[in-house]
Amino acid sequence: MPVVARIDPKDADATPWLVEAVGETGAKDAAPALLDVLGKSKDPVVRFEAMRALGRCGKEEGVSKLFNLLADPDWRIRMGAA
């Protein structure tokens, strides 16, 4: 998926939009890149969108990864994971 290669967690302006677009595709092969964004980004908006996209792309496997985020220090991330 070419769009996934363009996701740069450091680009706070474009990343949430790209991650959301990837999520809308539901492409299962995007799940590893979304996990990478989720792990590297410190921006709560980017992380929240990555969680949503992971739920759409990763299906059961992606949702199981979200359980770990229920203990995140940021309440917004915990809320999104729930």
Side-chain angles (χ1 to χ4, degrees), residues 23-51:
E24 288 297 319
T25 68
K28 194 168 186 155
D29 62 335
L34 293 169
L35 281 169
D36 188 49
V37 169
L38 191 55
K40 288 182 179 176
S41 180
K42 302 293 182 209
D43 184 337
V45 174
V46 170
R47 294 182 73 212
F48 191 86
E49 289 300 332
M51 285 189 301

Side-chain angles (χ1 to χ4, degrees), residues 7-79:
I7 296 175
D8 179 6
K10 296 175 191 158
D11 185 354
D13 293 331
T15 301
W17 300 104
L18 287 171
V19 169
E20 183 179 13
V22 169
E24 288 297 319
T25 68
K28 194 168 186 155
D29 62 335
L34 293 169
L35 281 169
D36 188 49
V37 169
L38 191 55
K40 288 182 179 176
S41 180
K42 302 293 182 209
D43 184 337
V45 174
V46 170
R47 294 182 73 212
F48 191 86
E49 289 300 332
M51 285 189 301
R52 289 181 56 198
L54 187 60
R56 291 184 180 126
C57 294
K59 306 293 183 218
E60 296 84 17
E61 297 162 9
V63 172
S64 69
K65 303 285 185 195
L66 298 178
F67 285 119
N68 298 335
L69 297 172
L70 291 171
D72 195 272
D74 190 322
W75 68 269
R76 295 167 290 195
I77 302 304
R78 291 192 309 268
M79 182 183 75

